[in-house]
Amino acid sequence: MSLDRLAGALSTTARIGLGLAAVGRPGYLNLGRDRDLPADRTVDVLRARTHELLDAAHAAGVRYVDTARSYGLAEEFLAEWLRARPEAADTAVGSKWGYTYTAGWAVDAEVHEVKDHTPGTFDRQTAETGQLLGDRLDLYQIHSLTPESPALTDRALHERLAALGERGIAIGFSTSGPRQADTIRAALDVEVEGRPLFAAVQSTFNLLETSAGPALSEAHRAGLLVVVKEALANGRLAGPAAPTALRRVAEQAGTGCDAVALAAVLREPWVSVVLSGAATTAQLSSNLRAAELTGSADDEKRTASLGGLTEQPSAYWRHRATLPWH
């Protein structure tokens, strides 16, 4: 699938995609997983949940799915679903390399994933992803770049990525940490043979953490697709954990806190797609209601009233680091 067709897939259903981080493995750091998933999280249980979500998402018009090598068996679950659903030929797929899943399907593992941005890991994980997704892979991203990552300066790695891009796969990167903006701007300068390497960026942006916004706007102007992850701040902007101000606005809007928070992200003109990290079909349905709020007469006023929720990036990321995997 060409970059143009990928962009088309990202334009559907108010530019909402489905991320599989929460359902491809038994342990994750989203709040409320005791409510969202059964205590018995076998491979078969999570496979069935993933397929249920993918069915619901496709029926609702969602045409972009995000996964990663480190999301447990998410790539495998997605590949099975794609093979069984010829009607989903219009679904675009993005995956990521750079983290290796190490939890062994345990919720209480001491280490859940290990980061390594070296060419060797790229070679291994690209082969693993290729075996599962084959020609269904449309976007391949470096997972969780930071300013210190060797992937920003490793020319051998850049050449490998560019060669993959020549096969028609869009090359991107995701970011994390309090210096996302620095990472994005550094990545925009990476070129191979005089051409920009990256066609997409995926970053954390939400009502609590807005620091990457100006850099993401620059990336958009440079022609990159902009994918927003963690728009609900790992559950901090949904359900009982949502701030009082957000709950009040959601009540006035007659919808859930999650839809209001997602709509606030979608109203940014530089956003190509925002990911739903739903773990249940009910959550997905609630997330998709953001489409009803985006562009409404009260949209700008509603978002402006929530500006006071923004935290300092350092404080936000310190808090995120304390969230337990459960």
Side-chain angles (χ1 to χ4, degrees), residues 287-309:
N287 288 177
L288 293 176
R289 289 200 63 193
E292 303 168 17
L293 303 178
T294 307
S296 67
D298 295 328
D299 186 22
E300 183 175 357
K301 179 180 178 181
R302 184 166 45 239
T303 302
S305 71
L306 297 171
L309 297 179

Side-chain angles (χ1 to χ4, degrees), residues 173-214:
F173 63 97
S174 73
T175 66
S176 61
R179 297 181 60 195
Q180 288 189 109
D182 293 339
T183 304
I184 294 164
R185 292 182 173 117
L188 290 177
D189 289 334
V190 176
E191 296 183 344
V192 175
E193 296 184 354
R195 296 190 298 271
L197 175 61
F198 297 113
V201 53
Q202 178 174 314
S203 296
T204 296
F205 182 88
N206 55 56
L207 287 168
L208 303 178
E209 218 302 43
T210 61
S211 64

Side-chain angles (χ1 to χ4, degrees), residues 64-147:
Y64 179 69
V65 180
D66 172 86
T67 185
R69 284 303 303 149
S70 62
Y71 295 172
L73 294 177
E75 283 189 337
E76 179 179 319
F77 296 161
L78 174 58
E80 293 167 345
W81 181 80
L82 290 169
R83 287 195 297 270
R85 305 292 194 280
E87 66 273 20
D90 55 353
T91 295
V93 173
S95 192
K96 298 180 286 295
W97 72 274
Y99 272 100
T100 299
Y101 180 66
T102 59
W105 213 254
V107 175
D108 58 353
E110 183 175 348
V111 178
H112 288 262
E113 53 190 14
V114 174
K115 185 176 181 178
D116 182 3
H117 285 166
T118 61
T121 295
F122 170 79
D123 291 343
R124 171 174 58 84
Q125 294 196 317
T126 300
E128 293 166 348
T129 296
Q131 288 177 351
L132 290 169
L133 294 173
D135 61 4
R136 293 307 307 267
L137 181 66
D138 303 297
L139 170 63
Y140 205 42
Q141 305 161 94
I142 305 173
H143 200 165
S144 194
L145 268 184
T146 60

Side-chain angles (χ1 to χ4, degrees), residues 221-288:
R221 291 196 299 272
L224 275 70
L225 297 172
V226 176
V227 182
V228 170
K229 63 184 174 76
E230 299 182 353
L232 299 182
N234 300 103
R236 294 178 62 195
L237 295 172
T244 301
L246 179 56
R247 293 200 301 271
R248 185 182 304 116
V249 169
E251 183 177 354
Q252 293 170 349
T255 190
C257 294
D258 58 315
V260 173
L262 286 167
V265 175
L266 283 168
R267 73 180 306 275
E268 297 291 346
W270 40 261
V271 172
S272 303
V273 64
V274 59
L275 297 176
S276 162
T280 70
T281 55
Q283 287 177 349
L284 177 63
S285 178
S286 183
N287 288 177
L288 293 176

